[in-house]
Amino acid sequence: MPQKTSMYVSIMLVAAVLGLMLSVQFRAVNRASSGISIDRAQELTAELKQINHEEGELSKEINDLTFKLNQVKQGQAEAVTALQSELNKVRMSAGLITVSGPGIELVLDKPDNTEDSEIPPELMVIQDEYLLSALNELWGAGAEAISINGQRIIATTEIRQAGSFININLNRVVPPYQILAIGNPQELMNTLEMTGGLQEYWRDLGIKVSIEKHEDLTLPAYVKK
Amino acid sequence: MNNKSYHWILLMFGVVMGLILAVQFRATSDMQSPPDLETPIALAQDLDEARKDRDQLQAKVDGLRNQLDSAVTGPELSRLKEELDEARQEAGMKDVQGAGVEVTLDDSNKVLQPGENPNFYVLHDGDVLRVLNELKAAGAKAISLNGQRIISTTEVRCIGPTILVNKNQRLSPPFIISAVGDPETLSSALKMKNGVIDYLKFWGIQVEVKKADKLTIPAYTGGLVFDYAKPKIS
């Protein structure tokens, strides 16, 4: 009988210790997953930077609109100027008028058909998604207007593979693809040329890439088809 | 006999306890020194404030645009104002209503095998771009991503598990893309054989397409700033 009691006591003790350990373990794991990681801080910093940038743009817009509003109140002639200038700005954003400014010229071309056949032929075609990612990267770097082979890119522009062609604004375009982007030339260039960036990726695929800065580019207006 | 089973039970507990101890030890030593909590928390607070400031500025811009519109009188100006209205429509600065489709995208719910790269199965900016492009090709008149209007200069960028749109709003999965246009054309373009949905499903991305009779795509409310581009008027 005393042996049985001591057995129960020791089992109880062991079980109690076990329970304690389990709960400590559980808490430790929980804490680990809810900890704010270094990545999180980086994400927050990146977002903060974006918001500050956005705030800067909104402040500029407020100054611009306030100036125009004052102009409108001054008289008929001034009001016309103010409205015309606002109209131009909105049209520029919609891609409805020709624009000019500094920027870059990016040309993507098919690789030459040499004996180098290590790259499968389907990869030799410049895919629509290469152009899509190029545009996305350029917009992200602050491009203000972009055209591809004379087609102005607007909100509803599609870039879509159709066999060996690509359709842009319902127009068939063929390589070489010439992408013109207006914006800060250095920033636009950096975003493509950075290590691990798109230029490196394209070159690895064997695509011919050239990037050039320009002082004065002219991009055509969007033409409805 | 009784004595023997007592020993067995003790042995079992001993083994289990040892195991737990070892796991516990490894888990704690794996945890690096607690990350610096203060910086992210301060950042998060800054971010909240910055967001509020930005929203205020956005509201102010909206107000000023309306004031500019209502300050306009006289026949010549009202002609200009009509043109301005039209241009704003094209630029995505007006709400658009109509029938269309709603596409929901979410990360894969696939259970990963050891050694598989989880990166393949999360939604990437490229996936969202594909869907947007397909909708544009199918004639969508206006598109929004989680309530943010897509305009020409909209970039879609992955930052960690969230995506950045229009340079400001952060979204986390699931992503809801709304597009106004012919619902039949839009949904069949997405569901085409070997089309974008087939591609996404290959990676286990969850895609759902719903036709809707009435959708509202909000206007773009950000600033229009052109530091480099100048209009060329012939």
Side-chain angles (χ1 to χ4, degrees):
Chain A
M1 202 60 186
Q3 211 204 22
K4 211 165 190 186
T5 319
S6 83
M7 183 181 90
Y8 282 136
V9 167
S10 61
I11 287 183
M12 204 180 79
L13 246 158
V14 169
V17 170
L18 206 87
L20 216 96
M21 307 237 25
L22 255 173
S23 76
V24 168
Q25 165 86 1
F26 195 71
R27 275 191 50 196
V29 170
N30 257 359
R31 200 180 55 215
S33 63
S34 69
I36 300 176
S37 66
I38 307 301
D39 285 358
R40 182 92 184 121
Q42 269 169 3
E43 269 178 43
L44 289 171
T45 315
E47 198 190 345
L48 195 59
K49 224 174 117 188
Q50 295 284 4
I51 291 187
N52 285 337
H53 174 76
E54 179 76 4
E55 278 182 306
E57 296 213 323
L58 284 168
S59 300
K60 281 188 201 165
E61 181 83 21
I62 288 172
N63 287 340
D64 185 42
L65 285 169
T66 313
F67 177 74
K68 282 171 185 160
L69 202 55
N70 284 334
Q71 256 186 320
V72 166
K73 285 173 187 154
Q74 274 165 16
Q76 193 72 3
E78 285 87 350
V80 172
T81 327
L83 266 192
Q84 190 67 55
S85 131
E86 178 70 10
L87 178 59
N88 278 337
K89 202 166 84 168
V90 175
R91 279 187 175 160
M92 210 154 48
S93 162
L96 300 172
I97 49 172
T98 307
V99 288
S100 60
I104 61 158
E105 178 191 11
L106 162 68
V107 181
L108 297 178
D109 200 359
K110 288 187 298 199
D112 300 321
N113 279 326
T114 49
E115 70 287 347
D116 176 26
S117 52
E118 277 172 39
I119 303 162
E122 63 267 23
L123 284 181
M124 307 281 262
V125 179
I126 298 174
Q127 307 279 341
D128 48 2
E129 58 184 290
Y130 302 166
L131 298 182
L132 278 178
S133 54
L135 293 194
N136 198 44
E137 205 63 41
L138 291 170
W139 292 130
E144 295 174 354
I146 301 182
S147 72
I148 301 181
N149 288 17
Q151 292 299 321
R152 181 76 169 269
I153 308 301
I154 63 163
T156 53
T157 298
E158 88 291 357
I159 297 173
R160 200 156 174 285
Q161 199 86 37
S164 52
F165 307 102
I166 288 181
N167 279 332
I168 300 179
N169 290 339
L170 299 176
N171 285 287
R172 182 171 280 189
V173 295
V174 289
Y177 298 111
Q178 183 208 36
I179 302 173
L180 300 179
I182 292 181
N184 182 325
Q186 195 56 53
E187 279 174 26
L188 295 178
M189 201 139 175
N190 289 347
T191 190
L192 296 173
E193 287 188 337
M194 72 184 175
T195 321
L198 284 176
Q199 180 178 253
E200 216 178 278
Y201 172 63
W202 291 327
R203 291 222 162 118
D204 286 347
L205 290 174
I207 296 170
K208 288 199 277 186
V209 189
S210 84
I211 308 171
E212 252 175 77
K213 285 191 232 175
H214 285 275
E215 280 303 308
D216 193 35
L217 291 169
T218 301
L219 274 55
Y222 167 72
V223 184
K224 214 169 219 157
K225 208 180 176 187
Chain B
M1 188 63 206
N2 192 7
N3 209 9
K4 219 171 187 179
S5 79
Y6 166 78
H7 282 308
W8 274 113
I9 288 173
L10 265 190
L11 187 82
M12 245 177 61
F13 273 121
V15 167
V16 169
M17 212 165 90
L19 224 97
I20 288 187
L21 252 172
V23 169
Q24 164 87 2
F25 192 72
R26 276 194 48 196
T28 9
S29 58
D30 266 359
M31 256 186 283
Q32 290 129 2
S33 53
D36 179 11
L37 284 176
E38 270 165 44
T39 320
I41 287 173
L43 271 174
Q45 280 166 353
D46 284 355
L47 204 54
D48 267 353
E49 253 164 60
R51 276 203 199 104
K52 262 183 225 147
D53 287 352
R54 185 203 57 213
D55 291 348
Q56 270 174 9
L57 289 176
Q58 224 159 45
K60 205 167 167 188
V61 165
D62 257 8
L64 281 169
R65 280 189 186 135
N66 287 335
Q67 273 183 50
L68 188 65
D69 285 359
S70 54
V72 167
T73 47
E76 195 184 352
L77 288 181
S78 61
R79 185 187 55 82
L80 269 176
K81 204 187 145 228
E82 261 171 47
E83 284 182 50
L84 186 58
D85 268 351
E86 263 170 54
R88 282 190 181 149
Q89 196 93 41
E90 301 272 338
M93 296 168 74
K94 297 257 178 205
D95 289 356
V96 174
Q97 281 188 348
V101 293
E102 219 174 62
V103 185
T104 311
L105 298 173
D106 208 343
D107 285 346
S108 175
N109 55 1
K110 186 178 191 297
V111 180
L112 289 186
Q113 302 302 312
E116 276 188 310
N117 185 350
N119 220 7
F120 289 162
Y121 303 98
V122 294
L123 202 55
H124 281 273
D125 36 13
D127 301 335
V128 177
L129 279 179
R130 267 167 190 265
V131 174
L132 294 179
N133 193 48
E134 201 58 46
L135 288 168
K136 288 175 188 174
K141 288 195 208 80
I143 306 178
S144 70
L145 176 52
N146 282 12
Q148 283 283 304
R149 180 67 171 267
I150 304 289
I151 62 166
S152 63
T153 56
T154 300
E155 71 171 313
V156 177
R157 182 170 291 182
C158 263
I159 289 193
T162 55
I163 291 187
L164 209 66
V165 188
N166 279 345
K167 302 194 182 99
N168 59 23
Q169 304 286 356
R170 263 183 67 198
L171 316 167
S172 9
F175 296 90
I176 298 172
I177 299 170
S178 308
V180 164
D182 178 46
E184 205 51 58
T185 317
L186 292 178
S187 85
S188 57
L190 293 173
K191 289 175 177 165
M192 196 172 59
K193 196 165 161 53
N194 292 326
V196 64
I197 288 187
D198 279 356
Y199 171 82
L200 294 175
K201 288 216 164 133
F202 176 77
W203 296 109
I205 304 289
Q206 303 179 61
V207 193
E208 197 197 334
V209 181
K210 261 192 304 196
K211 288 176 208 165
D213 290 337
K214 202 172 170 220
L215 284 172
T216 303
I217 311 290
Y220 172 73
T221 50
L224 302 176
V225 176
F226 293 97
D227 289 330
Y228 298 93
K230 300 267 170 297
K232 205 165 190 175
I233 297 141
S234 49

